Amino acid sequence: MNRRMSSRSVSLTSTFLLLAAGGLAACDNDEYVDEGFYCADANGVVVDEDNCDDDGGGGGGGGFFIWHSSGYKSGYKVGQKLPSGGQKFAYNDAAARSQFGLPSSGKISNGTVKTSVVGKGGSGSRSSGG
């Protein structure tokens, strides 16, 4: 028996496939996120960005970190605690800086937002005590 599909069946099948493909494409966008960066202490309290400057003797030594999260937007002031969910790395960790597209040394302005950071997702990806 030779059965033909009605145009309605073809239309519904095509629509389903297009929606499924769109859903997969939306999932792929999760690998690109915007990350906000701040100089803060070990507790996530924002400090002057000069404390995270490892160029020319500016850095504040141990105890300062670059905190990052897709939830951090610009505008947090010195003395404010960053929202939970962020990750940190030592301010002088050149490899971590480069991984996020930041300069490998020097000052990073508080509230810097890097767009389309690849493969970080969610609230960040790296946490180290430095």
Side-chain angles (χ1 to χ4, degrees), residues 47-109:
V47 297
D48 189 284
E49 56 210 25
D50 288 339
N51 290 309
C52 293
D53 182 358
D54 63 345
D55 250 358
F64 296 108
F65 301 89
I66 297 174
W67 283 77
H68 62 98
S69 171
S70 60
Y72 295 169
K73 307 301 179 215
S74 61
Y76 298 107
K77 305 289 183 208
V78 171
Q80 282 186 288
K81 183 158 175 51
L82 294 167
S84 63
Q87 302 292 312
K88 66 184 180 202
F89 58 86
Y91 74 91
N92 57 356
D93 184 341
R97 285 170 164 244
S98 294
Q99 178 184 3
F100 289 101
L102 299 168
S104 59
S105 65
K107 186 183 338 186
I108 298 167
S109 297

Side-chain angles (χ1 to χ4, degrees), residues 5-83:
M5 292 181 75
S6 70
S7 61
R8 182 176 179 176
S9 296
V10 171
S11 177
L12 289 175
T13 302
S14 298
T15 302
F16 173 77
L17 291 173
L18 287 172
L19 288 173
L24 289 175
C27 291
D28 287 345
N29 289 338
D30 287 344
E31 70 182 65
Y32 296 98
V33 297
D34 295 346
E35 292 273 332
F37 296 85
Y38 281 88
C39 179
D41 65 14
N43 298 314
V45 175
V46 178
V47 297
D48 189 284
E49 56 210 25
D50 288 339
N51 290 309
C52 293
D53 182 358
D54 63 345
D55 250 358
F64 296 108
F65 301 89
I66 297 174
W67 283 77
H68 62 98
S69 171
S70 60
Y72 295 169
K73 307 301 179 215
S74 61
Y76 298 107
K77 305 289 183 208
V78 171
Q80 282 186 288
K81 183 158 175 51
L82 294 167

